[in-house]
Amino acid sequence: AKKTLPPETRALTLAVAYEVIGRRDLSEETLRSEISRDPKNIRITQRLSAFYLRTNQPQKAEPLLRQLLTAKPDAQTAKVNIPQTRRSLAIAIANRSDQFTEAVSLLDANIGEATRKNTPTAVDELIKARLLSTKPQTEFRQQAAQILETLRDNNQLGSQDLLLLAQVYEAIGDQQKADGCWETLLESEGANVGFMAAHVRRLIERGERELAKQALADLRDLKPNRSTLVELKARLAFSEKRYDHVIAMLQDYVETGPDRVSQPIADSNDLPGSSVSILETRSTRGMQVIQLMETLLGKFDGSSEHRGLMSEEIESRYREVIIEKPELALTFSSFLGREKRLD
């Protein structure tokens, strides 16, 4: 294939193949090399920006997306989906406080154009609501709730975003409306692993441990992947203050064998609905444990011996993971700074 395919097709094929076998570094290298060879190649630029968004590297996606939006008119720019590129750029920059307003304005531009053309606006409305819901300010969450309510009333809200609406209601303290959303979800999605896992998390957060245990038992019958079960069992054990058990459980999860997990590898313009089973690596499990432990760390009341042990475990995992993922060094430094261990 390397000898017979055109350069662009060869690069796209190799990039997908490398990602399938877990070599994201080579996938990125392949796409970057092709852009160096052909800087105006729209398809490669789109694929690389999608790769960066998918692998949580929005800072690398941003300049590529801006390049797509400002490309001079020529034969290739017809391939640029401007509304989709605006959406992607909004997602890429939304987590940066100094660019959040721009992110919302990109979506508003799409909504305005669609309204003038009398075409659907639901996709951009949903993304806007999702971004607003991530902000701690009540006014943003209330705006998110209003958008989601309108979409729900127009039968344009799927179960995943009804779950988001329930979570927004809980965040702004409207428990009655949140319970109503959950009642609907449990009736329609009771056999869905993702929703049932979210239900277990909610019960744990509310301190309803016996109900959480029953819901977790029901979830096991749906055969969730191992990482989901470990996470929920760890959250439940933490709520019961079995801190040593939590650390031991998560250590065992990192040390023992991998699962196969389904993961999308291509954007919809190239391989619609494409996904593969890739091997979950030790470093992937390590990062999952780090993220969970950092969440749990914030739930301790003040300092304690167990908090200190968990913090040390997080540091140990970071030091292991950054050998394979050196780009996480800054994240690790931020953690050390928060823990006042920069010495």
Side-chain angles (χ1 to χ4, degrees):
K2 202 168 185 178
K3 293 180 180 179
T4 59
L5 294 174
E8 176 191 289
T9 306
R10 182 173 68 242
L12 290 169
T13 303
L14 280 173
V16 170
Y18 283 136
E19 197 163 353
V20 167
I21 63 174
R23 291 302 306 273
R24 288 181 171 177
D25 56 331
L26 293 180
S27 182
E28 177 184 5
E29 182 182 321
T30 299
L31 294 172
R32 289 182 64 87
S33 177
E34 182 61 17
I35 282 184
S36 296
R37 188 191 70 81
D38 185 5
K40 293 184 179 181
N41 189 305
I42 299 298
R43 196 172 181 213
I44 295 291
T45 304
Q46 289 173 325
R47 174 57 68 82
L48 184 57
S49 65
F51 170 87
Y52 285 139
L53 287 177
R54 191 168 60 250
T55 56
N56 197 29
Q57 301 180 75
Q59 72 283 357
K60 291 184 178 180
E62 180 185 350
L64 298 172
L65 293 165
R66 292 193 186 280
Q67 177 184 327
L68 290 170
L69 286 176
T70 58
K72 293 181 180 179
D74 59 32
Q76 285 209 80
T77 56
K79 298 179 182 178
V80 179
N81 183 328
I82 295 298
Q84 181 57 52
T85 304
R86 284 183 185 141
R87 292 179 197 121
S88 296
L89 180 56
I91 292 167
I93 65 177
N95 284 336
R96 293 165 58 175
S97 58
D98 60 332
Q99 292 183 295
F100 184 75
T101 300
E102 181 188 359
V104 172
S105 71
L106 287 164
L107 298 170
D108 284 339
N110 277 357
I111 293 167
E113 287 182 10
T115 300
R116 287 191 293 274
K117 295 176 181 177
N118 198 28
T119 56
T121 63
V123 172
D124 293 289
E125 296 276 11
L126 276 173
I127 296 173
K128 181 178 177 180
R130 290 168 188 166
L131 297 185
L132 289 167
S133 72
T134 65
K135 295 299 176 182
Q137 294 92 329
T138 300
E139 62 181 295
F140 286 142
R141 288 174 170 168
Q142 288 174 334
Q143 289 176 40
Q146 290 169 2
I147 293 170
L148 294 170
E149 287 169 346
T150 300
L151 292 169
R152 180 193 57 191
D153 294 344
N154 292 329
N155 295 316
Q156 293 178 300
L157 199 66
S159 295
Q160 191 64 53
D161 289 297
L162 182 58
L163 171 60
L164 175 62
L165 179 55
Q167 293 168 336
V168 171
Y169 281 145
E170 289 173 342
I172 61 179
D174 196 332
Q175 197 58 56
Q176 184 175 358
K177 287 185 177 180
D179 289 343
C181 291
W182 271 106
E183 184 176 335
T184 301
L185 285 168
L186 292 173
E187 287 177 359
S188 62
E189 301 292 342
N192 182 298
V193 169
F195 288 105
M196 288 303 295
H199 178 50
V200 175
R201 291 186 197 100
R202 174 175 179 256
L203 292 172
I204 294 171
E205 287 295 316
R206 292 175 61 157
E208 299 179 35
R209 286 192 286 273
E210 293 306 313
L211 289 176
K213 289 176 183 177
Q214 181 57 56
L216 183 55
D218 294 340
L219 176 61
R220 283 196 184 95
D221 294 337
L222 301 178
K223 297 181 170 43
N225 61 40
R226 179 173 171 242
S227 61
T228 298
L229 275 179
V230 169
E231 176 224 335
L232 296 175
K233 288 166 67 177
R235 287 179 182 273
L236 184 57
F238 185 91
S239 73
E240 297 172 329
K241 299 185 178 182
R242 294 188 292 136
Y243 305 126
D244 291 337
H245 181 65
V246 171
I247 294 174
M249 183 192 311
L250 296 178
Q251 286 174 333
D252 179 70
Y253 171 66
V254 174
E255 299 297 332
T256 52
D259 288 338
R260 288 190 174 275
V261 293
S262 178
Q263 176 167 316
I265 59 168
D267 61 63
S268 57
N269 291 328
D270 294 307
L271 296 172
S274 180
S275 66
V276 293
S277 286
I278 64 169
L279 202 60
E280 185 184 81
T281 65
R282 179 188 175 97
S283 65
T284 301
R285 296 195 301 278
M287 276 308 303
Q288 290 172 343
V289 164
I290 287 169
Q291 291 164 359
L292 176 57
M293 281 191 168
E294 286 205 61
T295 298
L296 297 178
L297 205 62
K299 298 180 182 297
F300 278 104
D301 294 326
S303 60
S304 69
E305 178 185 355
H306 289 106
R307 189 191 187 286
L309 290 172
M310 188 169 289
S311 179
E312 289 173 7
E313 180 66 19
I314 294 172
E315 179 178 348
S316 175
R317 291 297 165 196
Y318 263 124
R319 293 191 184 281
E320 181 180 276
V321 168
I322 61 175
I323 294 173
E324 184 176 330
K325 298 179 180 295
E327 67 272 16
L328 293 173
L330 183 58
T331 305
F332 178 37
S333 295
S334 297
F335 166 75
L336 292 176
R338 291 194 299 273
E339 292 298 293
K340 298 180 173 55
R341 291 216 298 272
L342 282 174
D343 46 33

